[in-house]
Amino acid sequence: QVQLVESGGGLVQAGGSLRLSCAASGSIFGIDAMGWYRQAPGKQREKVATITSSGSTNYDDSVKGRFTISRDNAKNTVFLQMNSLKPEDTARYYCNAGVRVTYYSSTGIYWGQGTQVTVSS
């Protein structure tokens, strides 16, 4: 079994910062890409940022220049540094990871339970 647990969400004023963390644990041989997604009430889940195992990153246009994704491969952890937060960033943030549980297994996609980020104006 593989578990992803997010932390770091909360309530912040517009212009403020938060740092989200997501730690993967369990039966893990290797982790490929990791990412952060968000879902606001009444909206579909959308990609925020992704990072490959080698460190290549990709961001949604709405967060470029404000958010930074990073990872610690030794700790199976991915981070999202969020600066200059806006009320429209308010959402539940989820991390996901492509995990191989053995050398021979295919990559399975796992999701965390999410952490709430609320930005007040």
Side-chain angles (χ1 to χ4, degrees):
Q1 296 291 339
V2 176
Q3 298 84 38
L4 273 64
V5 178
E6 301 99 335
S7 61
L11 174 64
V12 64
Q13 288 188 332
S17 298
L18 285 174
R19 180 177 170 85
L20 305 183
S21 300
C22 173
S25 63
S27 181
I28 298 172
F29 175 81
I31 300 179
D32 298 329
M34 304 182 81
W36 287 96
Y37 293 71
R38 66 187 179 187
Q39 187 168 19
K43 295 186 177 181
Q44 290 188 332
R45 189 174 297 187
E46 62 179 10
K47 184 189 74 175
V48 175
T50 59
I51 184 168
T52 67
S53 57
S54 60
S56 296
T57 59
N58 183 271
Y59 296 91
D60 183 78
D61 287 344
S62 65
V63 306
K64 282 182 181 178
R66 300 188 298 123
F67 291 10
T68 302
I69 188 171
S70 61
R71 64 190 283 175
D72 183 334
N73 290 332
K75 296 182 179 180
N76 292 333
T77 301
V78 63
F79 305 96
L80 186 68
Q81 178 66 44
M82 305 186 293
N83 299 328
S84 302
L85 283 160
K86 305 175 181 180
E88 50 263 45
D89 294 319
T90 295
R92 191 164 186 84
Y93 284 69
Y94 298 87
C95 72
N96 85 345
V99 179
R100 288 174 291 134
V101 297
T102 70
Y103 178 82
Y104 300 101
S105 66
S106 58
T107 298
I109 303 300
Y110 295 84
W111 291 88
Q113 293 299 306
T115 184
Q116 180 66 34
V117 171
T118 302
V119 184
S120 62
S121 57

